Every structure is written in structure tokens, then in C-alpha cells.
Amino acid sequence: MAMWQGAMDNRGFQQGSFNSFRSSSSDEDLMDIPGTAMDFSMRDDVPPLDGEIEEDKSYNGGGIGSSNRMMDFLEEPIPGVGTYDDFNTIDWVREKSRDRDRHREITNKSKESTWALIHSVSDAFSGWLLMLLIGLLSGSLAGLIDISAHWMTDLKEGICTEGFWFNHEHCCWNSDHVTFEDRDRCPEWNSWSQLIISTDEGAFAYIVNYFMYVLWALLFAFLAVSLVKVFAPYACGSGIPEIKTILSGFIIRGYLGKWTLIIKTITLVLAVSSGLSLGKEGPLVHVACCCGNILCHCFNKYRKNEAKRREVLSAAAAAGVSVAFGAPIGGVLFSLEEVSYYFPLKTLWRSFFAALVAAFTLRSINPFGNSRLVLFYVEFHTPWHLFELVPFILLGIFGGLWGALFIRTNIAWCRKRKTTQLGKYPVVEVLVVTAITAILAFPNEYTRMSTSELISELFNDCGLLDSSKLCDYENRFNTSKGGELPDRPAGVGVYSAMWQLALTLILKIVITIFTFGMKIPSGLFIPSMAVGAIAGRLLGVGMEQLAYYHHDWAIFNSWCSQGADCITPGLYAMVGAAACLGGVTRMTVSLVVIMFELTGGLEYIVPLMAAAMTSKWVADALGREGIYDAHIRLNGYPFLEAKEEFAHKTLAMDVMKPRRNDPLLTVLTQDSMTVEDVETIISETTYSGFPVVVSRESQRLVGFVLRRDLIISIENARKKQDGVVSTSIIYFTEHSPPMPPYTPPTLKLRNILDLSPFTVTDLTPMEIVVDIFRKLGLRQCLVTHNGRLLGIITKKDVLKHIAQMANQDPDSILFN
């Protein structure tokens, strides 16, 4: 039998146990995300949508079912039909059609009785109830993570004797022995040297604190990587590349399951507390999507339809960003711009509601203790001037260069991790990187503090009550001196802080490359913002001192009013943070909205927009992919990027399988094949589905049947329909002809046949075919000529063709 290629390698049917379609422990099911091998076999986190399939029966191609009842497969649903194999793409068109049929049936029944009307109303309201639950659960988990991470981060430096569950700030809140100058020091808070050797002075005390800092960091990192490795391999990394792929229709069983949620929540706190150069914001999107996926199982409307479930996951992603940054509007735009594949208007409203509930829940918990929702609240009192767009654009250029550099080096390191022995030792890698980070971080106060606290310090606009070294200006209380510019020459503390920040910048740039992608939860938002904020603060202080010492220059003299602060270094830090984050992720609109929601700096939208666009242009000039798209391609996921244009002049016949001189297409006929014939084709091929034609001579297309549905239906018939044997004829027609006596009963499988598969002609330009695959979410498309079936184009074929046209390795696409 001739075969066609292009569908994903389905590892299930090999004349073995039917259970292999639902889970497998073979080595072939090991896969990397995004580094060492991990078991991607299906767990019990995500049960089959339409019911369990008996595990104690094997599909061996023979035997007659024990039931005496004849089954009409046209009328009775078959358990398991309509579900998908792991690592396959869903059929969006079929899922949307099934949902329309379900909705039409409920609407028609609602006119028959009061109970049916109530059921119809509850079905319509279930989506909003689900969004409410997602928002409440996501906000609660985010608050728990924030509070726990703050406490465990401070635990590396000391402990509160009044109550070990208090972090440093809370411990000193109610102290009666705190002065304004030493408000961070109170007798209730003891460093480890005070507890161990009863003193906090001297070299030995410093060594004790140093040792305990490194020890706690290693302990937190070891617990995080061990829990991930043993209990939930999917809990590692950011999760956003996989969520983008799942939202595009790909199936990864267990990636959004309960074990992943539990372990990711715990290990995220440990990873952030270890002091590694990572953030919790990206993983919080994964946590929120886990909440959404688990809660979907409480509603049949979403549990039984993969397309509807992905609408919920889009809203959950918005809720994740909302609680990560305290930016509900930015969360909705982030889901729309960055992660969602299908985003109808109804999903927009529900995403907004979920983000609102999540933000309100987080605000009620008040994890930051400042009665504000935003993470880095700032109040800048100085307006920006048109001339300052020049340094803002310079920060945008820096952000673009940093983004392109980071993506290339990080992808190269992750590829090395996948292809060398390094990937086999995730625990050792995490411990080594943690040890290096902790040893280098402790001597510098800006690397020792948590990254979120560092960014907050850099965004700060120096006021009269600030005691930070960044605000150590000479005569800073004197706001004017005659007709001169503000008397704000940098003091010793500012120069000391600049050197420390420069060293911090180098460490963050280098260490983040090796940290992102390790086998622990690791977000990239906060480290990227920290790099940009440091660069921006350095540039801002430089501009401030330039304006002070060269106030007679025309560029300053024309717009700096007397006695006013002309330059705000904190604003430069904010713009730099946006530029670097945009260079890495290639976000634009959502980035600007997140930044002004994050800081409250609404009047600085134009500088943020200028930096974000400049950053994207520079980064795109050096590489078209953002960090998440690059990791998607590294892992071989079948993701069609909607932002990329396909402009090559190839035709469908150039991409379809079979090619010229290849064997003919493997097809099923509608009324002339036996069960044994179909079983032979299934056992000898690995295709995800088969076209059904009138006859091999005519090649007139009837429909398309999925491999999984075919196997389940035959298995079900052998169990429940008397007389089905290997010589039974399989009919895909509506009516089967009369059969002679003593003929084995026929098997009618028309109900599993897709009677309207999407088709294109052989002369259709691939530009149109690619657009069809993107907008309709197709998994395969049949190619015809004058009604005759010629070949098939799968999503994998399209991705391979795009990679080939871009001079990339087409074999990097692993899944269909």
C-alpha cells in the first residue's frame, strides 16, 4: 500500500495495547522543554474529554465482542471519539462546529420546558462564572506567592525574633526602637551573625552572613529543581512558549494539570527566593492558565470542547499578567498581542472581567503592604522635555541590542544543553549557577537585594526623606541658587552607587543568559526590566550631572527653568526597563500599557512609546523572533506565527504530499474495505488521518477520518457489536446495501467521517494556504484537481516549507 507523508508520528497503534494511545512510558515520549529530557507522557491531570477508554482490553485485530446488542454507529455516540492524541493539533473547524451544534440543541430544547430554559440560562452564564473563579483563584495564589517569596528572600539575611513568619519590613513595622535614619534596623530583626556569634560587626560576622546567604540560596534552588524533576517536569521555565503553542491548538497532556500547578506554585517561591536572576511574572501566567484549565473540568461546555477551553485559557493568561504586575488592562492587551491565537470579542470582555477580579483579589490580600496594587509606584514631579527624546531613543537602541544579544546567546546555550551531556544533569547545573550568582551577588548591595526591590529603587525619584545612596546629592535640600540650575551635584554616595550599578549591570546581563531555561520556574520580565532600569538610571544620572555642570549649553538653557529639577533619573530607568523588555519579548502596545499601569506614570506614555518602538525596530533588524518564538522553534512546536508574512511564490502542489514520483496517497474507500484492510493500513502507517474516496479509480473525495477515531470505533465495535470480524465491510455511506445471508455484519462509521474537509486546488498559492492555516487553525488541508484528490498538506508541512524558505532547518519541526 502506497503511503503519504507529512502527518505527525503517532506512536500509539502498533498492534499493542490500546492504552498506548492515552499514555506511554517509552523513551520516544521523552522530550525537552527547553533543555534536558523530560517525560511528556500523559498523566491523570487531563482526563480524556468524552469518557475513559477501558485499559484492560488490547487492540489485537481479532475477536468478536461479547455483547449481544447490535449497535448503530450512526445514532449512538462512541466514547473517546472526538478527542485528540497527545502532541497533536486540534481541528478548530470541527470543534467550533460541535459547539454550534451543542448550542443549537440547547436553544431548541429551552422552548420545551422550564427546566430546559433554566439549563440554557445557566449554560450562557457559565462562562462568566468560570471567569470569576479563575480571577479569584489566580489572585489568591499570586498573593500567596508574593508574600512567601518576600519572606523567604529576607530569610537569607536574617530572621525576626518576634515571629519567624515576619519578613524584614513587617518585623520592624511595630518596633518602638526604630529611628527614621535607621528604619531598616530594629532589635527585633537579627542577622545570622547576631544569632550565631552574637555580633554584627567585624570580618568574621561578614563571613558568617556571607556563608548563610549562599547556603540558603543553594538550599532553595536544590529544593526547587528537585521538586520539578521528581513531581512535575512541566513546571520548569517560563511556560509562555508552551502556552502560546497550546493556545494555537496543540495538545500537551498534563502541562496545565493539577500537579503542575501545585509544584509550580511552590517552586516559583523557592526559585525567586534563591536570588537567581529570574522573575515570577512569566510563570504566573502559567499558574493562571493551570487554574483555568483545571476549573474548565467543572463545566461540560468547556471540558468537552478544546476550542472553547482555549478561549478560557486566553482569559486566564490575561488574569496572570494582571496579578503579576497589577496591570489588568495591560494583561488583556498582553493576551491579545502576545499569546492568544484565537481572540473573539466575547473573549475580550471575559478576559477583562477575569483580569479585573484577579486584580481586585490581589489588592484585597495587599501582599506589598502599601495599599497599592501596582508593583513599582512612582510619582515624578518633573515633566519631560522634547530634547529628552534623544536619550530615550538611545535607551531604545540599547534595549534592542540587548534583546537580540540575549536571544541569540540564550538559544545557543539552550541548544547546547539539549545536545550535550549538560542536559542530563539539571540539578548540578542549577546548583552551580546558583552558587556563582550568590557568591558574586552578596558583596554588592544592589545584587544582594531582590530584583523587584532593585527596580523599585532605580525607579525612585529622590525626595527629601530618601536615604538611598542614589539620592546622596550635595546640598540637595537647596532647590535653587540665584539664577543657576538646581544645586544638585552628585555626592560620594551617588558615585559609589554608579560603580556598583555598573557591576550589577554586567552580572545581570551575563548570568540571565544561563539562568533562563534551567529546570526551575524562571520568568524573564523582571530580569530584563532590571537590565534596562540600571542602564536608564546610569544614563539619567549622567544627563543630570551634564545639565548641572554645563547649564550654559543651548540645549539645556532653553528649557530648564530656574530652581527646577530638569532631569529625572528615575524616568530614564523606567524608559530603559520598557526598552529592554520590549527588545526581548517584542511587545509594543501591551508593554507600554503595562509600564504605565505598573508605575502609575500616565503622563510618560510618549517616552515609553518611543523607546518601545525603537527597541523593536533595532531588535527586528538583528533577528525577527522574540524570545518566546525562538524557544517555540527550538522545541519544534507546530506554531504558525500570525505576525510573519509569507511572500514566496510557491503553489500548493509544491508542498503537498505525495510529491511527484512519490508513491500514491494512502486512502480509504467508502464501501469496499474490510476491517482487516483498515487495520493493516493503520498498523503499517503512522498518519494522523486518512482521506476517504468513492473508489481508488475515481479518487473522488468523500471526507476525512482521523486515525484515533477510526481505531476507537473499530475497538468499540469488536466489544459491543455481535459478529464483527476481520472480514466485515466498513461503510462510510449513509445506507449500506443488502448483504447476502451468512455474511458478517457490516460496520457503519459515517458518524466519525468529516464530510466537509477543507480543500484547495493544486494551483492555490501557498501564501493563501498559509493564511488559511493561520486564520482557521487547520491541522490538514486536502489538495484536489477538478474534484479528484491529489494530496494532502498538514500543518507540519506548512511549517517545514516556511522554515525551508527562510533557510532554516525544516527537520526542527517535530510535531504536527
Side-chain angles (χ1 to χ4, degrees), residues 119 207 243 439 648:
H119 179 259
I207 293 173
I243 288 171
I439 291 171
H648 302 284

Side-chain angles (χ1 to χ4, degrees), residues 355-370:
L356 174 66
V357 173
F360 176 78
T361 304
L362 185 66
R363 171 63 183 82
S364 301
I365 297 174
N366 192 22
F368 309 119
N370 57 5

Side-chain angles (χ1 to χ4, degrees), residues 394-404 576 579-584 615-616 618-619:
L394 290 176
L395 287 173
I397 294 173
F398 172 79
L401 293 174
W402 146 248
C580 282
L581 184 54
V584 172
S615 173
K616 178 174 173 55
V618 172

Side-chain angles (χ1 to χ4, degrees), residues 503-544:
L503 295 174
T504 303
L505 178 62
I506 296 172
L507 177 62
K508 291 287 184 184
I509 286 176
V510 175
I511 206 68
T512 306
I513 293 171
F514 300 98
T515 303
F516 186 70
M518 293 195 304
K519 292 298 168 277
I520 53 174
S522 54
L524 196 59
F525 282 39
I526 290 297
S528 300
M529 290 176 62
V531 170
I534 294 170
R537 188 77 187 202
L538 292 173
L539 180 61
V541 173
M543 288 291 296
E544 181 187 50

